């Protein structure tokens, strides 16, 4: 392992110019998550995925962390196909289907179509899944989630985006603007590949982060370097992130995130099979099956809400992960680096804690899901996963991030 470790820590001056774009810009947005439905939905923006067994320790030329990050940034692979195993272990309480209901239902739109990617892909935020991926440049991509006797696919071909849920025989269709050079057009609401996950992690690399090369591995039959990303600060729930990077192409082959609490990975995504060859053109063909219910998205040609309609306005684009805080009252961040906490006011009354029997019953139930805490801010409840935690105070303030419960309480005390 020693020959591959970098003696330097990536920081403001630790990365080459070519990699600056990878770590600049939306660093804060990549480090915290604003809870939408008691942390469950928020977890999906962190990333996804199962531990895949590495085989062997290939002997590769020495490389520094800076050089490896540069290799990722310069990777220009446009064509690939393969199978990714994805699992997430957030440690959410088992609520007899409530968890999956929140994840799929809270974002369901477009008339409630089960094929809508914004709702369907949220299901990847829990459990273990097998995903097949294929790409041929920025205009053609396909992601298929394999289920028991069913399959859910998103196909991007030219200006058309099709999503098909074979279980319900429903189709969702929308259109996308032409891709600019170097940009992908596939849906990115939830990252599903090691590369997408690695890109999110690398946005957080700055002087609060230690980055080294932690030896080598073999993933999906390919030799890879292991990039190790660790927060320097205390208080973060992120213990370490490991990205296995293909030695030849620079493509991330596997992404693993382990929490400071130890145990199994919270997020682990990796290729079990991968090929860097041009997929067959038919891979990206799609025609709605006979009898399928087709829902047109607001940005598609068949929608009445299209710009140009006399009685309608141009549809607003969906917010990106970096815009999660927009529209929330007084959103601000406290702290720095991996210990950043999002703070905002819901404008509500927070968690019920009154003396009435009804309030007491509700409070008692919620306390079984979270921990009741007190401080200068009064009282509140901390809802926890193995990665994302959120404190909701009785006066409606919310403090959330990939930080420990103690860090949230400290931030709430400091704000009062």
């Amino acid at each position: 392992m020693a020959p591959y470790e970098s003696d330097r820590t990536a920081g403001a001056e630790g990365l080459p110019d070519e990699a600056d774009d990878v770590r600049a810009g939306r660093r804060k947005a990549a480090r915290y998550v604003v809870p939408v439905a008691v942390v469950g939905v928020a977890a999906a923006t962190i990333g996804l995925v199962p531990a895949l067994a590495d085989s062997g320790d290939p002997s590769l030329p020495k490389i520094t962390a800076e050089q490896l990050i540069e290799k990722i940034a310069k990777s220009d692979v446009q064509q690939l196909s393969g199978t990714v195993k994805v699992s997430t272990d957030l440690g959410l309480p088992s609520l007899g289907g409530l968890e999956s209901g929140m994840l799929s239902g809270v974002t369901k739109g477009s008339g409630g179509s089960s094929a809508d990617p914004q709702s369907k892909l949220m299901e990847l935020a829990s459990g273990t899944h097998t995903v097949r991926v294929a790409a041929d440049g920025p205009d053609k991509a396909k992601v298929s989630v394999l289920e028991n006797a069913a399959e859910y696919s998103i196909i991007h071909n030219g200006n058309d985006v099709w999503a098909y849920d074979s279980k319900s025989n429903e189709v969702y269709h929308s259109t996308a603007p032409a891709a600019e050079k170097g940009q992908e057009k596939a849906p990115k609401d939830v990252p599903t590949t090691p590369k997408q996950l690695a890109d999110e992690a690398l946005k957080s690399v700055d002087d609060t982060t230690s980055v080294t090369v932690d030896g080598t591995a073999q993933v999906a039959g390919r030799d890879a370097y292991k990039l190790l990303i660790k927060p320097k600060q205390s208080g973060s729930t992120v213990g370490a992130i490991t990205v296995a990077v293909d030695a030849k192409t620079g493509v991330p082959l596997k992404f693993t995130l382990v929490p400071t609490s130890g145990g199994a990975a919270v997020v682990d995504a990796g290729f079990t099979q991968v090929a860097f060859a041009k997929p067959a053109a038919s891979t990206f063909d799609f025609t709605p099956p006979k009898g399928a219910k087709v829902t047109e998205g607001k940005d598609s040609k068949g929608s009445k809400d299209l710009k140009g309609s006399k009685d309608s306005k141009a549809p607003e684009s969906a917010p990106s992960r970096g815009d999660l805080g927009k529209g929330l009252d007084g959103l601000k961040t406290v702290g720095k680096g991996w210990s950043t906490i999002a703070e905002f006011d819901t404008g509500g009354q927070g968690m019920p804690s009154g003396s009435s029997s009804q309030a007491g019953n509700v409070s008692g139930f919620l306390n079984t899901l979270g921990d009741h805490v007190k401080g200068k801010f009064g009282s509140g409840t901390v809802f926890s996963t193995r990665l994302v935690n959120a404190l909701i105070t009785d006066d409606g303030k919310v403090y959330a991030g990939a930080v420990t419960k103690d860090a949230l309480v400290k931030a709430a005390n400091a704000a009062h």
Side-chain angles (χ1 to χ4, degrees):
M1 179 169 68
Y4 299 97
E5 287 190 351
S6 167
D7 294 329
R8 303 175 61 185
T9 297
E13 300 177 0
L15 297 177
D17 291 341
E18 292 88 349
D20 284 349
D21 289 343
V22 179
R23 62 178 176 79
R26 297 179 298 161
R27 290 175 183 153
K28 288 186 177 180
R31 293 193 194 99
Y32 64 84
V33 179
V34 177
V36 179
V38 194
V39 185
V41 175
T45 65
I46 293 291
L48 303 173
V49 178
L52 303 178
D54 295 331
S55 59
D57 252 343
S59 178
L60 295 171
K62 295 179 182 179
I63 190 170
T64 67
E66 291 82 5
Q67 290 170 333
L68 188 52
I69 291 175
E70 182 180 357
K71 192 176 185 70
I72 297 172
K74 287 186 173 182
S75 177
D76 61 353
V77 170
Q78 296 286 312
Q79 299 169 334
L80 66 80
S81 58
T83 303
V84 180
K85 196 173 182 183
V86 177
S87 71
T88 309
D89 183 6
L90 289 164
L92 294 172
S94 177
L95 300 176
L98 177 58
E99 173 190 333
S100 60
M102 284 194 305
L103 292 175
S104 63
V106 73
T107 57
K108 184 171 286 188
S110 304
S113 171
S114 68
D116 183 355
Q118 287 189 337
S119 59
K120 190 66 178 181
L121 288 182
M122 293 297 284
E123 296 177 11
L124 293 178
S126 63
T128 299
H129 305 271
T130 299
V131 181
R132 287 180 182 162
V133 298
D136 184 7
D139 294 325
K140 293 183 179 181
K142 182 176 181 179
V143 176
S144 297
V145 182
L146 307 184
E147 303 172 341
N148 291 331
E151 181 175 319
Y152 175 78
S153 295
I154 299 175
I155 304 98
H156 207 148
N157 195 343
N159 289 331
D160 289 304
V161 178
W162 295 94
Y164 176 58
D165 184 359
S166 68
K167 185 183 296 183
S168 62
N169 199 29
E170 291 193 24
V171 174
Y172 177 87
H173 175 244
S174 64
T175 58
E180 296 180 9
K181 185 177 181 180
Q183 291 184 339
E184 297 177 2
K185 297 192 332 182
K188 295 181 180 179
D189 292 339
V190 178
T192 55
T193 67
K195 183 184 186 313
Q196 291 171 335
L197 292 164
D199 286 347
E200 291 299 311
L202 289 173
K203 290 173 186 175
S204 299
V205 172
D206 61 8
D207 57 1
T208 69
T209 311
S210 169
V211 183
T212 58
V213 178
D214 189 27
T216 64
Q218 198 170 72
V219 179
R222 297 186 66 88
D223 293 346
Y225 293 101
K226 293 195 295 185
L227 186 68
L228 181 64
I229 304 170
K230 297 180 70 173
K232 288 183 180 179
Q233 304 161 300
S234 61
S236 174
T237 54
V238 177
I241 294 172
T242 302
V243 181
V245 183
D246 186 71
K248 185 176 181 180
T249 65
V251 173
L253 299 175
K254 182 180 177 184
F255 175 98
T256 304
L257 187 156
V258 295
T260 53
S261 59
V266 171
V267 173
D268 190 26
F271 280 100
T272 56
Q273 294 177 329
V274 65
F276 299 102
K278 182 182 178 69
S282 59
T283 302
F284 311 102
D285 292 338
F286 180 79
T287 301
K290 185 177 181 180
K293 174 187 175 182
V294 179
T295 299
E296 295 286 347
K298 288 186 178 181
D299 57 345
S300 72
K301 296 176 182 178
S303 171
K304 293 185 292 184
D305 294 330
L306 270 176
K307 182 177 181 181
S309 173
K310 246 182 191 180
D311 303 320
S312 66
K313 297 180 180 179
E316 296 182 3
S317 59
S320 68
R321 285 187 293 279
D323 297 328
L324 282 175
K326 288 185 178 180
L328 296 173
D329 184 20
L331 174 72
K332 62 180 182 178
T333 61
V334 295
K336 179 184 178 183
W338 296 82
S339 298
T340 301
I341 296 172
E343 175 187 339
F344 63 95
D345 191 340
T346 65
Q349 297 180 349
M351 305 306 298
S353 58
S355 58
S356 69
S357 60
Q358 183 177 3
N361 290 336
V362 174
S363 178
F365 170 72
L366 292 175
N367 280 337
T368 65
L369 306 180
D371 297 327
H372 191 65
V373 294
K374 292 184 178 181
K376 294 180 181 178
F377 55 86
S379 299
T381 304
V382 176
F383 296 94
S384 300
T385 72
R386 298 177 66 215
L387 187 65
V388 181
N389 295 321
L391 165 61
I392 304 177
T393 64
D394 288 350
D395 60 357
K397 302 293 193 305
V398 176
Y399 303 84
V403 298
T404 62
K405 178 177 73 174
D406 290 343
L408 293 177
V409 172
K410 183 178 179 179
N413 282 333
H416 287 73

